[in-house]
Amino acid sequence: MKSHASDRIKMPLGFWASLRHLGIAAHDVARRARLPLAIVNESVVTTTQYFAIWQAYADLVGDTAKAIVQLVSIFETAKYPPSVLATYHARDYQDALHRMARYKILCPPESLSIKEEGELCTIEMEWLHAEHPGPPILVGITLAFLVELGRRGTGQHVTAQSVEFMHPIGDVQVLEAYFGCPIRLEAPYNRLTLHRRDLDCSFASYNKELLEILTPALDQSLDGHQRNRSVTEMVKWIMKRSLTGGCPDIHSVAKELGMSDRTLQRRLSDENTTFKNLLTQARHEQALAYLANSSLDIKEVAFLIGYEDQNSFYRAFRIWEGDTPTNWRNQNLGATSLSEGRLSMPTIDQ
């Protein structure tokens, strides 16, 4: 896996301390991840190193589900980073979740999107770089933390309505006991669905004064982060989040970026691209990511990237890859299986 230069990641404050509470030595994690022992003293690591550290932790526990529940439960609230403290001290669960989704971009490599419809609230987790997804342990930690946040903030035993994972994630019964709901594996999404009624629960940890300090600082960091990202990157990121709801248009994307259609067109032109080209790239990249999930049939993949019919997807895919989606999947999944079969231990290049 190649690291993305813009995606150097801060190790969560308290991560190594939490592992010590679980009886896991930091150096054992580094060795398992095949990284220098000095990595445990680094506050910032590469994306590849970050993924390797989390996978090594799961391997040492022996079961991904148990590793998720143990760490989320033991992680000290006092050691949450500022962006998470701003959620823990929010007014209510709804405010906390929306703050988490807003500021998550400051803590890559994943992003969160929230939809509230009727009696349900769905939170979907996606990788910022879909072509290089992280290990299942990170997906589980992210979704479990959102429930843990609700429990600690409200003081009530919040449960989920359902939880979906795209890949196997260990002992499902352990996760069902933690989330309090059925777990679905090999789903089209990594998604947590909550009961809408729980979002109105006030947070006992609400701290207006602290939020008045944290929020402007985080908003300033967010603005700086977005200025440092090209418009092309931001547009593709928004497109990928929106594809499952249909084909995004320039007006909706420009509105989310806080600019006019004409300004967005001009900014993209300055970066030598167009909205149409970026939409094609976003669909292509997402198609490859979804095809790597063997549980999704071709019709589902077509729908997930905004095509209303399978034939249109087939025509587009032939232009992108010179082959059919089915043939591409058979060739690439077969090659992946053979490669995995030759490895006895994960390395930082996986």
Side-chain angles (χ1 to χ4, degrees), residues 55-126:
Q55 184 60 56
Y57 160 61
D59 291 342
L60 289 172
V61 172
D63 180 83
T64 300
K66 292 179 181 178
I68 292 165
V69 174
Q70 287 178 4
L71 188 63
V72 167
S73 301
I74 203 172
F75 205 102
E76 295 181 29
T77 305
K79 293 185 177 179
Y80 287 165
S83 58
V84 179
L85 278 178
T87 67
Y88 178 67
H89 294 296
R91 179 177 289 103
D92 51 37
Y93 197 12
Q94 181 185 51
D95 184 24
L97 291 172
H98 282 277
R99 285 176 182 270
M100 180 64 72
R102 174 173 172 77
Y103 297 128
K104 192 69 191 75
I105 196 171
L106 296 173
C107 307
E110 68 270 24
S111 68
L112 300 171
S113 59
I114 300 176
K115 293 182 181 178
E116 296 181 42
E117 295 180 347
E119 298 300 315
L120 300 176
C121 171
T122 59
I123 307 167
E124 189 173 329
M125 197 213 92
E126 295 180 341

Side-chain angles (χ1 to χ4, degrees), residues 225-266:
H225 178 86
Q226 291 176 334
R227 283 196 299 270
N228 290 332
R229 297 178 72 194
S230 69
V231 174
T232 295
E233 287 181 302
M234 291 190 290
V235 168
K236 283 180 66 175
W237 179 65
I238 293 171
M239 285 175 170
K240 289 180 179 181
R241 292 176 57 195
S242 307
L243 283 173
T244 53
C247 188
D249 57 33
I250 192 168
H251 178 71
S252 62
V253 174
K255 183 178 180 181
E256 187 162 347
L257 289 172
M259 61 181 72
S260 68
D261 300 5
R262 182 173 296 180
T263 298
L264 177 55
Q265 288 174 327
R266 177 175 54 79

Side-chain angles (χ1 to χ4, degrees), residues 120-304:
L120 300 176
C121 171
T122 59
I123 307 167
E124 189 173 329
M125 197 213 92
E126 295 180 341
W127 299 108
L128 290 176
H129 301 283
E131 68 274 22
H132 297 304
I137 176 72
L138 267 177
V139 179
I141 286 285
T142 300
L143 299 188
F145 172 76
L146 296 176
V147 172
E148 187 71 21
L149 175 65
R151 291 173 179 174
R152 295 190 188 190
T154 65
Q156 301 178 26
H157 189 69
V158 173
T159 59
Q161 195 272 341
S162 65
V163 182
E164 301 165 82
F165 294 107
M166 294 177 69
H167 303 289
I169 199 160
D171 189 340
V172 172
Q173 291 184 339
V174 170
L175 292 177
E176 289 182 336
Y178 178 81
F179 285 105
C181 69
I183 301 294
R184 178 188 175 192
L185 301 179
E186 297 188 345
Y189 320 92
N190 293 308
R191 186 163 62 184
L192 167 70
T193 301
L194 298 169
H195 301 282
R196 177 64 183 76
R197 63 177 182 272
D198 290 333
L199 271 60
D200 296 326
C201 293
S202 299
F203 266 27
S205 52
Y206 174 48
N207 189 322
K208 180 181 178 181
E209 291 76 17
L210 183 58
L211 285 179
E212 289 176 348
I213 296 173
L214 287 174
T215 301
L218 288 169
D219 285 343
Q220 185 176 6
S221 296
L222 186 62
D223 290 342
H225 178 86
Q226 291 176 334
R227 283 196 299 270
N228 290 332
R229 297 178 72 194
S230 69
V231 174
T232 295
E233 287 181 302
M234 291 190 290
V235 168
K236 283 180 66 175
W237 179 65
I238 293 171
M239 285 175 170
K240 289 180 179 181
R241 292 176 57 195
S242 307
L243 283 173
T244 53
C247 188
D249 57 33
I250 192 168
H251 178 71
S252 62
V253 174
K255 183 178 180 181
E256 187 162 347
L257 289 172
M259 61 181 72
S260 68
D261 300 5
R262 182 173 296 180
T263 298
L264 177 55
Q265 288 174 327
R266 177 175 54 79
R267 295 283 297 276
L268 291 177
S269 179
D270 290 342
E271 295 183 12
N272 299 313
T273 189
T274 66
F275 187 86
K276 183 178 179 180
N277 286 342
L278 292 182
L279 180 58
T280 298
Q281 291 175 28
R283 281 176 150 176
H284 184 186
E285 292 169 11
Q286 288 297 93
L288 298 183
Y290 287 133
L291 286 170
N293 182 355
S294 60
S295 68
L296 296 176
D297 62 36
I298 304 301
K299 186 176 182 180
E300 285 180 293
V301 174
F303 170 77
L304 290 172

Side-chain angles (χ1 to χ4, degrees), residues 306-327:
Y307 284 100
E308 294 183 359
D309 65 273
Q310 189 171 328
N311 289 335
S312 296
F313 172 50
Y314 264 80
R315 287 193 295 270
F317 197 86
R318 280 189 175 277
I319 294 173
W320 300 335
E321 295 291 328
D323 206 343
T324 67
T326 302
N327 288 341

